[in-house]
Amino acid sequence: NFRCRSAFKLLEIDDRFGLLQPGHSVVDCGAAPGAWSQVAVQRVNAAGNDPESPRGTVVGIDLLHVPPLDGAHFLCSHDVTDPATHAKLLELLPNNQTHVILSDMAPNASGLRHMDHERLITMCLSLIDLAEKILQPGGSLLCKYWDGVRVHELQQRLSSVFSSVRTLKPNASRKDSSERYFLARMYRKPVKWR
Ligand code: SAM
């Protein structure tokens, strides 16, 4: 029983690409009400339901309250784009790093398509800064966006630090919505020049 139908989008993507493996750490950005975290807990074995497999970690973040879930740790009333949140995340993650960053984040839609697009792209770009702090080399990022003029810029920024970037429109996503996902895999930490 999932808390929301969005679970089926993540199940579909994970069935196809095998992002979430037992023992993995997962950071779920924009986690409320918690359906993606439910999927992640099952797939990475974060509640330890399968004693034969390694136990993973799931940390969810949201501005809103997320009801408790066995196997997940939630940072409620936390903003994913706030560096103070990044510091707390580091403390919660084994070895201070994660295998996967998921983001189904969305701003409250204003109804102005261009403005909503801009705001969500800005949030997605902030995930690239988050990745630099917590994503392990080889790791993956799955993020939702709304289609529009700045998608190309987001794709280019992702391609500069991930070896593989693809666009997904899950069957479980409404056909008439501009919602898409980028799946970025094989993270390479950017080289810092002094
Ligand atoms: N994936 C979730 C699930 O399956 O239950 C649904 C996520 S819902 C579509 C989007 C969420 O993003 C909202 O709960 C919203 O509060 C959250 N959100 C938006 N901006 C955020 C931010 N800056 N930091 C954290 N969460 C944010």
Side-chain angles (χ1 to χ4, degrees), residues 6 30-36 62-64 78-80 104-106 123 144:
S6 53
W36 276 30
D62 208 290
L63 298 170
L64 304 178
H78 278 73
D79 185 336
V80 168
D104 196 28
M105 274 196 296
M123 289 162 76
K144 170 161 82 187

Side-chain angles (χ1 to χ4, degrees), residues 58-115:
V58 174
V59 183
I61 308 159
D62 208 290
L63 298 170
L64 304 178
H65 177 70
V66 193
L69 171 67
D70 194 23
H73 188 113
F74 292 122
L75 295 171
C76 304
S77 312
H78 278 73
D79 185 336
V80 168
T81 63
D82 180 355
T85 303
H86 301 180
K88 285 203 184 162
L89 262 176
L90 279 175
E91 282 171 26
L92 289 167
L93 292 168
N95 305 317
N96 310 115
Q97 55 180 9
T98 189
H99 297 85
V100 182
I101 298 175
L102 303 175
S103 173
D104 196 28
M105 274 196 296
N108 285 329
S110 69
L112 300 174
R113 192 175 162 134
H114 181 71
M115 192 165 100

Side-chain angles (χ1 to χ4, degrees), residues 114-128:
H114 181 71
M115 192 165 100
D116 291 339
H117 160 74
E118 287 276 339
R119 288 172 64 201
L120 186 47
I121 292 285
T122 304
M123 289 162 76
C124 291
L125 289 170
S126 84
L127 294 172
I128 298 176

Side-chain angles (χ1 to χ4, degrees), residues 3-172:
R3 293 177 181 182
C4 140
R5 290 195 51 80
S6 53
F8 297 103
K9 296 182 233 173
L10 181 58
L11 285 168
E12 191 183 322
I13 292 169
D14 191 50
D15 284 342
R16 182 162 164 213
F17 296 100
L19 282 183
L20 306 170
Q21 300 292 329
H24 274 176
S25 305
V26 179
V27 172
D28 181 12
C29 302
W36 276 30
S37 288
Q38 288 179 293
V39 172
V41 163
Q42 288 178 5
R43 299 257 159 136
V44 306
N45 193 35
N49 288 335
D50 177 6
E52 308 286 303
S53 296
R55 189 168 180 156
T57 301
V58 174
V59 183
I61 308 159
D62 208 290
L63 298 170
L64 304 178
H65 177 70
V66 193
L69 171 67
D70 194 23
H73 188 113
F74 292 122
L75 295 171
C76 304
S77 312
H78 278 73
D79 185 336
V80 168
T81 63
D82 180 355
T85 303
H86 301 180
K88 285 203 184 162
L89 262 176
L90 279 175
E91 282 171 26
L92 289 167
L93 292 168
N95 305 317
N96 310 115
Q97 55 180 9
T98 189
H99 297 85
V100 182
I101 298 175
L102 303 175
S103 173
D104 196 28
M105 274 196 296
N108 285 329
S110 69
L112 300 174
R113 192 175 162 134
H114 181 71
M115 192 165 100
D116 291 339
H117 160 74
E118 287 276 339
R119 288 172 64 201
L120 186 47
I121 292 285
T122 304
M123 289 162 76
C124 291
L125 289 170
S126 84
L127 294 172
I128 298 176
D129 300 329
L130 175 63
E132 194 170 336
K133 293 180 185 159
I134 66 168
L135 190 60
Q136 71 168 48
S140 310
L141 166 68
L142 174 68
C143 69
K144 170 161 82 187
Y145 65 92
W146 289 322
D147 207 9
V149 287
R150 289 183 66 198
V151 167
H152 201 63
E153 176 190 342
L154 174 59
Q155 183 160 19
Q156 279 183 339
R157 289 281 309 278
L158 289 169
S159 296
S160 71
V161 285
F162 289 89
S163 301
S164 154
V165 178
R166 61 164 83 208
T167 302
L168 305 176
K169 175 75 174 171
N171 292 322

